[in-house]
Amino acid sequence: MAEVVIVPDERAGGRLAAARIARLVTAKPDAVLGLATGATPLSTWAALAEYGLDLSRVRGFALDEYVGLPAGHPESYREVLMRTVVKPLGLSPDLVHVPGDDGGDIATAGQRYEEAIRAAGGVDLQVLGIGRTGHIGFNEPGSSLASLTRVKTLTEQTRRDNARFFASLDEVPRHCITQGLGTILRARELLLLAWGEAKAEALAAAVEGPVTASLPASAIQLHPEVTVIVDEAAASRLRFADYYRYAWENRPDWARDEDLPSSVTGA
Ligand code: GLP
């Protein structure tokens, strides 16, 4: 079972997620992070910036990208990552990869991306948000649980959800390239974040429902190292919420991973 941590709000969740990342990069300065875009991880990046860690050796692999946007489009995930993660946190742009951005044939870009992840030694920690269709990355319902990075067609629901970032719905691309569920499951550790009531149903299905391609985020149940950090609203449909709270409050001292090592705090 995933470890589910219910926090009062998004800010507290961001702090907890950032603590987990800070611990990793302190132990391994060239750690490989799987980078999610979307609004969900923003509080995590903000909290991580406050540690003032040197992240210049951290390597990053984006989860997904639109296909068909002109290079440099402000809403391409490459640009979003540059704006919200790479620049504010001081990552080295050359060490951050986005699927489909190597200038090669898009049809085979997925294979090259898989090879690049493998060559980097695999993803140490993958940050994930969840879409209202239950997608992670851009793996929409029906995605194979074993899928690898490939080009996909977005659902209309996801296009509508993401239209807020574009001038009109028409401008939202119909295609994307995304790490597959199989790719995500190869990461050593997963951190799934969700805030707000709109995510409650998909989140409950992902954590407590059957593992099914119809709800791609349910694939996380197949992973041995998953932490799900949710605020009260996103947790509102969880059947075992009381148990998650109890388990978190009574976690053993050695598992208190929100207490940072002194090498990070300088204490
Ligand atoms: C988007 C992205 C996902 C993201 C999810 C949730 O479509 N492709 O990577 O995690 O949907 O987005 P948000 O965090 O903005 O709610």
Side-chain angles (χ1 to χ4, degrees):
M1 181 191 270
E3 177 171 44
V4 180
V5 187
I6 302 170
V7 293
D9 54 34
E10 184 173 341
R11 221 165 141 244
R15 279 201 302 271
L16 190 57
R20 188 66 67 90
I21 299 170
R23 178 186 287 271
L24 168 69
V25 298
T26 301
K28 185 178 178 186
D30 65 345
V32 179
L33 290 182
L35 302 170
T37 38
T40 303
L42 294 178
S43 61
T44 300
W45 310 139
L48 186 57
E50 285 176 21
Y51 288 111
L53 296 171
D54 175 6
L55 302 179
S56 61
R57 291 173 57 204
V58 166
R59 295 163 292 162
F61 284 89
L63 254 186
D64 48 11
E65 176 59 291
Y66 292 110
V67 170
L69 288 180
H73 189 290
E75 292 309 325
S76 70
Y77 283 173
R78 162 160 282 286
E79 290 301 311
V80 171
L81 283 177
M82 288 299 148
R83 222 165 40 231
T84 61
V85 185
V86 176
K87 283 194 188 128
L89 290 174
L91 271 68
S92 303
D94 291 352
L95 299 181
V96 175
H97 308 276
V98 177
D101 75 342
D102 63 0
D105 179 10
I106 190 69
T108 52
Q111 283 155 257
R112 293 194 300 278
Y113 202 62
E114 292 290 331
E115 276 154 30
I117 294 174
R118 227 181 347 258
V123 171
D124 289 306
L125 187 149
Q126 176 66 59
V127 177
L128 296 167
I130 181 170
R132 285 200 297 160
T133 63
H135 68 248
I136 46 177
F138 269 138
N139 294 282
E140 296 284 24
S143 296
S144 157
L145 298 174
S147 52
L148 300 177
T149 307
R150 74 264 185 245
V151 173
K152 290 286 286 180
T153 305
L154 295 171
T155 62
E156 281 304 293
Q157 169 82 65
T158 298
R159 291 187 67 241
R160 276 197 301 273
D161 283 350
N162 290 0
R164 65 190 194 277
F165 299 113
F166 294 83
S168 70
L169 180 59
D170 270 356
E171 277 192 29
V172 185
R174 290 194 156 67
H175 296 103
C176 62
I177 178 165
T178 181
Q179 287 190 29
L181 297 174
T183 319
I184 292 167
L185 291 176
R186 285 176 186 169
R188 289 181 192 92
E189 184 180 349
L190 305 180
L191 207 49
L192 176 68
L193 313 172
W195 327 123
E197 172 71 35
K199 301 292 176 74
E201 201 178 326
L203 193 274
V207 175
E208 297 176 339
V211 174
T212 168
S214 300
L215 201 296
S218 65
I220 65 165
Q221 294 179 44
L222 297 170
H223 197 287
E225 288 291 332
V226 186
T227 307
V228 177
I229 304 177
V230 283
D231 66 3
E232 294 285 348
S236 58
R237 301 283 189 93
L238 287 171
R239 213 174 128 203
F240 305 119
D242 287 346
Y243 172 66
Y244 305 137
R245 287 196 182 92
Y246 176 82
W248 178 250
E249 278 159 20
N250 292 289
R251 67 197 178 286
D253 284 344
W254 50 260
R256 294 187 174 261
D257 58 4
E258 77 281 21
D259 300 331
L260 285 174
S262 56
S263 52
V264 176
T265 59

